[in-house]
Amino acid sequence: MLSLQALYVAYKQVKNNRGAAGIDGQSIDDFTQNLEKELNQLLLELKEKRYQAQPVKRVEIDKDDGGKRLLGIPTVRDRIVQQCLSNIMTPIFDPQFHPSSYGYRVGRSCHQAISKATLFVRRHNKRHVVDMDLSKCFDMLNHDLIIKFVKKRITDGSILNLIEMFLKSGVMVGSTWQNSELGSPQGGVISPLLANIYLDEFDQEMMKRKHRIVRYADDILIFCTSKSGADNALKVASHILEVTLKLKVNERKTHIAHSDTGIKFLGVVIGSNYTRIQEKKLNAFKVKVKQMTKRNGGGNLAMVLKKLNPVLRGFVNYFKIANISSKLKGLASWLRRRLRGVQLKLWKTPVKLHRRLKQLKYRPPFKFMKMKSWCNSGSPLAHYAMPNRWFQDIGLYQIDKVKTGVLASYY
């Protein structure tokens, strides 16, 4: 911890993650301008035990359900120290975590969590599933319990004091300081590790009781072979989470599901024989694409594709684990129609469309049509002028060519 090299490595990681400025207004670029001086000052304060964590900056972001997620943004200095702490603590704790814990862990992913859940349902026939939701998990972590669990493997007083300092640094809401008696701010570099250390107590207790689980951060699934077994697992899990760990189970969202009707998890719905995408994720994607393919966007098609392709690639690479080949074919057709509409608007007059058709060896006469009409973007002339192959030639990412339904290795 007390070395310039350790702080520099942490700084590089923080820089790569970017992130907004904290309450002091200092951005990562500002910090970089006086890097050597800043790191040496940080090292000196740590060595002389003069270092003090600053309160986090409160930021609110919208949630899918219409609520607000409260984030706490530490200063750049605090993020670097937290990253340094995380670099030291992760190799100590991570190898001992439950094998079915996948959130916020290096080398583990959502795809692996989905694949493990699918394995339990289809290969082990555990089709009754307890789907648990925790209310504001990060905000409810008990500070005394965090320190208690960390002490199981780390006894160094300086490390423990730094962790406690970050937990109790408080929150700035506007110009008002608020005490932080509970929780680890979502947005803090070390918070995901502390949450995993905290919830691993739940994971290990469930393992002792022979319950099969998959957990991604605070998204928890418990797999059972019968409804009565699921009822019992729900009672056991609720007791551990609420009594032992002092968390709050969201009773409105926590329920027992069956794979025949589908288990919602990490954006997909896992069924007894299939995995599909959640409709709300598909709808949100279409809304985003609509914004990027407006006919009055002003840019040419090359500019549209430059922005659009990374979005398409990211969406498909995530959801290709589901059986969505038919969905992707429908999306691809819808997307090409939207892009035909963009190009028709860019051509402005039917004369340019007709010229394009002649170049492709189609013989006139051609009908005149409104180039701004959405209806006409699906017309035969638009298809002749811009066939499916043309979109591939101009560089549109071909979402309907991606292999889907392939599970990941869950180890």
Side-chain angles (χ1 to χ4, degrees):
M1 183 84 188
L2 301 180
S3 76
L4 202 57
Q5 180 62 25
L7 290 174
Y8 179 74
V9 169
Y11 152 77
K12 293 290 287 184
Q13 292 171 284
V14 169
K15 183 181 180 183
N16 289 338
N17 292 332
R18 303 303 299 174
I23 62 168
D24 59 358
Q26 184 184 46
S27 68
I28 189 67
D29 292 332
D30 296 334
F31 190 93
T32 302
Q33 288 180 2
N34 297 294
L35 180 60
E36 185 176 353
K37 179 181 176 182
E38 293 279 10
L39 289 181
N40 278 308
Q41 179 62 31
L42 208 49
L43 180 61
L44 183 63
E45 290 178 19
L46 288 167
K47 284 183 175 180
E48 296 180 354
K49 300 189 185 298
R50 293 188 292 108
Y51 172 79
Q52 287 293 322
Q54 297 296 305
V56 297
K57 180 181 179 181
R58 168 67 73 235
V59 175
E60 295 182 356
I61 60 173
D62 295 328
K63 296 171 67 176
D64 291 341
D65 60 6
K68 296 287 186 180
R69 177 174 283 111
L70 302 180
L71 301 185
I73 309 300
T75 64
V76 173
R77 283 164 50 88
D78 290 344
R79 294 210 295 272
I80 290 171
V81 176
Q82 287 188 28
Q83 184 65 63
C84 203
L85 270 176
S86 181
N87 292 345
I88 293 169
M89 294 170 62
T90 297
I92 297 171
F93 286 93
D94 192 84
Q96 309 301 322
F97 284 153
H98 192 287
S100 288
S101 167
Y102 290 95
Y104 308 125
R105 297 180 64 186
V106 176
R108 290 178 168 245
S109 67
C110 293
H111 280 186
Q112 291 175 319
I114 293 168
S115 298
K116 187 71 166 286
T118 304
L119 172 84
F120 285 146
V121 169
R122 297 178 192 167
R123 187 179 299 178
H124 298 289
N125 205 34
K126 294 183 176 294
R127 300 188 174 188
H128 297 268
V129 181
V130 181
D131 183 352
M132 302 201 73
D133 183 85
L134 298 177
S135 297
K136 300 180 179 179
C137 177
F138 278 83
D139 298 331
M140 296 294 292
L141 300 179
N142 182 278
H143 291 175
D144 291 337
L145 289 179
I146 290 176
I147 299 301
K148 175 184 175 182
F149 300 150
V150 171
K151 277 184 176 179
K152 289 184 177 182
R153 293 194 173 91
I154 292 178
T155 57
D156 183 278
S158 297
I159 298 293
L160 296 171
N161 287 339
L162 281 172
I163 294 171
E164 191 164 11
M165 186 188 301
F166 285 123
L167 293 174
K168 299 186 181 301
S169 62
V171 179
M172 290 297 293
V173 182
S175 58
T176 304
W177 180 82
Q178 293 182 0
N179 189 24
S180 50
E181 297 179 355
L182 278 177
S184 182
Q186 196 167 355
V189 176
I190 203 170
S191 295
L193 176 59
L194 294 180
N196 268 338
I197 292 171
Y198 199 97
L199 288 172
D200 189 61
E201 297 293 319
F202 166 80
D203 299 343
Q204 300 297 338
E205 190 61 33
M206 294 299 283
M207 180 185 281
K208 289 178 185 176
R209 297 168 185 260
K210 308 297 184 183
H211 288 293
R212 297 291 187 95
I213 71 167
V214 171
R215 183 175 64 80
Y216 192 95
D218 57 354
D219 287 334
I220 302 169
L221 298 181
I222 309 169
F223 299 85
C224 306
T225 55
S226 66
K227 177 64 165 59
S228 59
D231 288 332
N232 177 64
L234 176 56
K235 291 177 183 177
V236 170
S238 297
H239 184 272
I240 296 170
L241 290 167
E242 295 196 323
V243 178
T244 306
L245 297 180
K246 301 180 180 181
L247 298 172
K248 177 64 177 175
V249 174
N250 188 330
E251 295 182 2
R252 185 173 62 86
K253 294 184 177 181
T254 296
H255 63 284
I256 296 173
H258 193 282
S259 58
D260 283 350
T261 54
I263 302 147
K264 293 182 179 180
F265 187 52
L266 300 178
V268 302
V269 181
I270 301 170
S272 300
N273 302 299
Y274 64 88
T275 302
R276 57 185 171 83
I277 185 174
Q278 290 183 21
E279 283 300 317
K280 68 177 183 180
K281 299 295 183 183
L282 184 61
N283 293 335
F285 171 71
K286 292 183 74 172
V287 167
K288 189 171 186 178
V289 170
K290 279 184 178 180
Q291 291 296 319
M292 302 178 75
T293 55
K294 286 184 175 180
R295 281 168 287 164
N296 59 355
N300 59 35
L301 213 55
M303 293 173 59
V304 173
L305 294 183
K306 186 176 181 180
K307 295 178 181 178
L308 181 63
N309 278 339
V311 174
L312 298 177
R313 191 174 289 110
F315 175 82
V316 173
N317 283 344
Y318 183 85
F319 286 106
K320 68 182 180 183
I321 194 170
N323 306 107
I324 58 167
S325 58
S326 60
K327 290 282 187 184
L328 290 182
K329 286 179 182 178
L331 277 175
S333 177
W334 170 78
L335 177 60
R336 286 190 293 265
R337 179 173 178 177
R338 291 198 63 82
L339 293 174
R340 287 186 182 106
V342 172
Q343 186 59 62
L344 287 176
K345 175 78 181 299
L346 290 170
W347 278 335
K348 296 182 180 179
T349 66
V351 173
K352 291 185 179 180
L353 170 63
H354 297 168
R355 185 184 304 156
R356 166 71 178 165
L357 291 168
K358 290 175 185 177
Q359 290 171 348
L360 294 173
K361 309 303 182 185
Y362 289 100
R363 292 184 177 182
F366 305 118
K367 290 183 179 180
F368 279 73
M369 63 184 189
K370 293 180 180 179
M371 302 297 278
K372 298 180 182 180
S373 167
W374 166 248
C375 181
N376 286 334
S377 65
S379 69
L381 288 183
H383 276 264
Y384 297 153
M386 294 167 278
N388 292 355
R389 179 58 188 265
W390 180 72
F391 289 101
Q392 184 176 341
D393 293 340
I394 65 174
L396 174 66
Y397 182 69
Q398 302 294 294
I399 62 175
D400 52 344
K401 305 298 184 185
V402 177
K403 187 176 182 181
T404 64
V406 180
L407 297 179
S409 171
Y410 48 81
Y411 293 108

